[in-house]
Amino acid sequence: MTRTITLTINGKKRTDSVEPRMLLIHYLREVAGLTGSHIGCETSLCGACTVHVDGKAIKSCAMFAVQADGRSILTIEGLAAGGKLDTMQEAFWNEHGLQCGFCTPGMIMTAKQIIERNANPSEEEIRRGLDGNLCRCTGYQHIVNAVKAAAAKA
Amino acid sequence: MATTITKTETLIGKRIRRREDPRLITGTATYLDDIQMPGMHHACIVRSPHGAAKIKSINIKPALDLPGVAAVFTGNDTEKLGPVPCGASIPGLRVPHHHLLAMDRVYFVGHPVAVVVATDRYIARDAADLVEVDYEPLPAVSDPEKALAPGAPPVHPEWPDNTAFTFHQEGGDVDKAFAQADVVVKERITSQRLIPSPMETRGAVADWKLGDQTLTVYASTQVPHLLRTLLASMLSIPENRLRVVAPEIGGGFGCKIQIYAEEALMGFVSMKIAKPVKWIESRRENFTGTIHGRGHVDYYELAAKRDGTILAIKLKLIQDLGAFHELLTPAIPTLSVLMMPGLYDCQNIRADIVGVFTNCMATDAYRGAGRPEATHGIERMVDILAAELKMDPADLRFKNFVKKDAFPYATATGLTYDSGDYAAPLEKALNTSGYKKLREEQQKARAAGRFMGIGMSAYGEICAFGPSPATPAGGWESATVKIEPTGKVTVMTGSSAHGQGHETTFTQIAADELGVGIDDVLVLHGDTSLVQYGIGTFGSRSTAIGGTAVYFAIQELKEKIKKYGAMLLKSDDVAYANGVCVDNKSGNTLPLAQIAAASYRALKLPPNTEPGLVATFFWEPPNFTFPFGAHIVVTEVDGDTGAIAIKRYVAVDDCGKIINPLLVDGQVHGGVVQGLGQALWEQAVYDDNGQLVTGELMDYALPRASNIPWIETSHTETPSPVNPLGVKGVGEAGTIGCSPAVVNSVVDALSPLGVRHIDMPLTPEKIWKLIQRGGKA
C-alpha cells in the first residue's frame, strides 16, 4: 500500500509514491536522494536529521513523509544551491564549528532558525536554541561562535 | 603546465580553517549510510534481550516467509568463521571464543543471534521481529565486584570465578615507603561505565564481486588496514582480494578501533547472496552492541610524608571487562597502571589488576582509554592527601611534580617521559583563574552559607601509540607523498581520520616542507586499495606518528628533487627551498613543477635515480609522547536542589608544538565536554539481570549545548624530542584532565560538610542526598 505525495524540496516540486509509514528522513535520503541530512537516532533526540518544513526547523525522523504532502522543505543541500555558501555554512567553516561533520547539516539548519527568530542572540539563547541537536565532537563552543558570527553578518 | 606556486610563508602554527569542511557543511560528504548500490540488500540483526540465557531453539521460517526477505542466518551458519579478534596479550589471559553469532547461549543484552537480509530496510526490520528465539533465561551478573564474590553466577561456565586475568606491576620498594610514611590516605574511586556515542553509529556495507572473487567492505572504522587484515582471516579470504574503505566517518572516540562481528557478518552475507548488503547500526544497537568505556573500581592507597612528599602509591584495580574481549579490552586497564604516578616524582608503585567477566557489553578504548581513569585516581588522591595535610592542593602538586630538568624521566612503571615543564600549565591556570582571589571569594561564600568549590587537576598522558613492541599491532605509521607530473602534491596517510582534521594538519606539514601552496596539496586516507598500509587513528597518535611519516617521506623526496634539480640546472651544488631548486653558484632557479615534469618525462635521468617523484615512508617512533596540562574548575552547588553550576573552566594544555591552534582548541573543547559528561551526567547502568537500563539517548545524558560552560583554553608549548615536528598529541587531553578537576571542585565545595570523595556522575540527586545527610555518604 502506498500513497502519493507532492511536495517542494529545495525549491523543486516532486511527486512520489511512498509507504504511509516511511519516515520523512528516509524519504529525503533514499527516495529524493538527498543524503546531506543524517540519521543519528531515529528517536528525535539527536537532531542530525533537522530540516526546515514550511520555514520551521523540524526533526525529519519524527515526521512521516506523507505528513509533508503539500509542504515546502529546505535541506542542507538547498543552502548553497547557487554555488555560494550560506552565511551560516561559511560561519561554521570559519569558526571550526564542526569536526566529524555528522551533526553539522542538522546543526546548521537549527542555527539558521535561531538567528531567523532572533537577530542578535545572546550566548545563552544560542545554547538553548541548540539544545535539540547533539554534537559529540566540538563541545559546542565553536558552534556557539559560528552562530554569533553568522548573526553579526546577517 | 600548471603554474608553479612558490611561497615563503609557513603554515605550521596558523589557525587555518579546515580543508575537509566544504563537503561537510554542504551535505555532500559520503558517510557509510549514504552509499547506495544497484541490487543492494539490507540487513537487520536479531539480538539477545537477556543478560544471560540458553538458546533452546530458533525458528527462522516466519521471517523467511515474509516477501522481500532473501535470507536469514544463525550461529550454525557462521560457526566456522571468525572469531571476533582480541589483540591484547596478557600472560594467562582467558579469551572466550567469540563467535560472530551466538551459538547455544547469549551472554549480554545485544548479543547478536541472527541476521535477517531483505530487499529494503523496513522489511529487514519487520522480519527480524518474526525470528522466533526460544530463550531460557539464566542468572546474570553485571557488577564486577559482585561477579567476584563467591557464588556469583558464572558468565562463562568454564570459568566460575569470573576472572579473565590478573596482572601485577611493581616498582621501587612500596612496603618500605609505606612503613616510613607519616600519612596514609585510602579511597575507593570508581570510573563508571560510559557509552562512547559518536553521532554516526557503526555500520558496514559489503560488496562481493563473484566474477572477480573480490570483496569490498565499507565500514565506519578508525583502522581500515587492520580491519582488512583481520577480516581476511575471519572470513578466510585472501587479503589481497579484500578492500576496506573507511568513508567519511562520523566520530569514533575509540569505539571504532575494534573489529566487530557485524563487519565480518556483512562480508559473509554478501558472499552468500552475491549482492551488496548494508547494515547500519541503530542507536539502541550502538548502546548495547558497541564497546563501552571505563568500568573501573579502584582502591587507592597513597603514602606521604608530613611535608606532602608522596612516597608510594598502591592500586587495586577491578576492571569490568564485559562478557567477551573486543580488540583491546584487557589491555586498557594496563594503560591506567602505566600512568599511575601521573606527573609526580614517585618511584614506589604497586598495582594489581583483576579483569572481571560480567554479562555486559565489552569495555574497550574510549577517549583516553585507561588514562582518564588513572588521572582521575591520582588527582583525586592528591586532593584527598592535601585535605588530610591541610595543604593547598596547588602547593602539594608543585611539591611533587617531576622537575623540569629531570627529563627524560624514567617512571617506576617502566616509561620514559619525553619532555615536560609540569609547573608551567598549572601556574598559568592559577594566574588565568585568579586563584588567590577565588579562594578569598570562597571564604565569603562559605560565610554566607553557599557551596563554592575550586578544583584542579594536573594531568599527564601517554600518547602517540606507539613504539611497535608496546602496541598490539604495529605502532608505526605510513605516508606516501607523490609530486604529480604537474607539480601538485598528493599525500596518502595510513592514519585514517574520523573528524580530527588530518587533511588540514597534514597539508600544513606537507606544504611547509615542500614550500608549496596549501591548495597544491591533497591528503587522502581510508581506502586500503589507495593507501599503502597503515595503522589508524587512536591514542592521540596521528600528527605525532602519521604527520612525522609525511615529514620523512618528504625528506626523501627532497633528496630526489635535488638530484633532478642539479641535473637540470647543470650544477653540483643545489638547494631546495620554498618550492624551487636553487643553483647555489649561479643563483638560477627551477620550480618544483618543472622538476616534477622532467622526472616523469624521463628523457634524462640523474645517476642511479629512478623516474618519478614518489616516496613512501613507514615511521617507527622511538618512544611514546607525554603531553600534560592543568585544568581549574570553579563550581557552585545549589544546596536546595543539588544542581552544580560551573562558574569558570580554565584549561591549559601542553601538546608540544602546535600545528593548527584552531584545531587544537577544538580538540580540547570536545575532550573537556566528554569529561564533563563523565563527571556530571553519563553512566551506563545495567540492572542485576544484565538489562541495560540506559539503553537509549532518552536515558543516557549526553552533554547538550546549554549544559556546557565557556571553556577558557590556553597553552604552553614544550616540544617533544621524540619526533622532528616536536608534536605530542591532543585528542584525548581535554577528557583526561577534566573529570578530576570537576570532582575536586565539587568535593571542595562540599568539604565544609566533611565530604572527602564523591563518585561520578555527580548527578543533582546524588549531591542533594549527600547534602540532606549532612555530607555523610
Side-chain angles (χ1 to χ4, degrees), chain B residues 638-719:
Chain B
D638 184 327
D640 294 328
T641 64
I644 294 161
I646 295 180
K647 299 293 190 185
R648 291 281 299 279
Y649 200 111
V650 175
V652 184
D653 188 63
D654 193 321
C655 60
K657 175 82 182 156
I658 292 174
I659 306 287
N660 187 329
L662 187 62
L663 272 58
V664 165
D665 280 347
Q667 288 295 321
V668 172
H669 294 160
V672 164
V673 171
Q674 286 188 7
L676 286 173
Q678 169 156 27
L680 298 174
W681 307 295
E682 295 178 35
Q683 181 167 24
V685 179
Y686 283 93
D687 70 12
D688 286 342
N689 298 315
Q691 190 58 246
L692 183 63
V693 182
T694 53
E696 262 294 353
L697 283 173
M698 187 67 95
D699 306 306
Y700 185 85
L702 290 181
R704 291 182 184 270
S706 71
N707 307 141
I708 304 303
W710 191 258
I711 301 159
E712 303 168 47
T713 54
S714 60
H715 304 276
T716 58
E717 219 169 308
T718 308

Side-chain angles (χ1 to χ4, degrees), chain B residues 481-496:
Chain B
V481 180
K482 287 200 290 178
I483 318 283
E484 311 286 2
T486 54
K488 299 294 175 189
V489 180
T490 307
V491 175
M492 284 162 287
T493 170
S495 177
S496 181

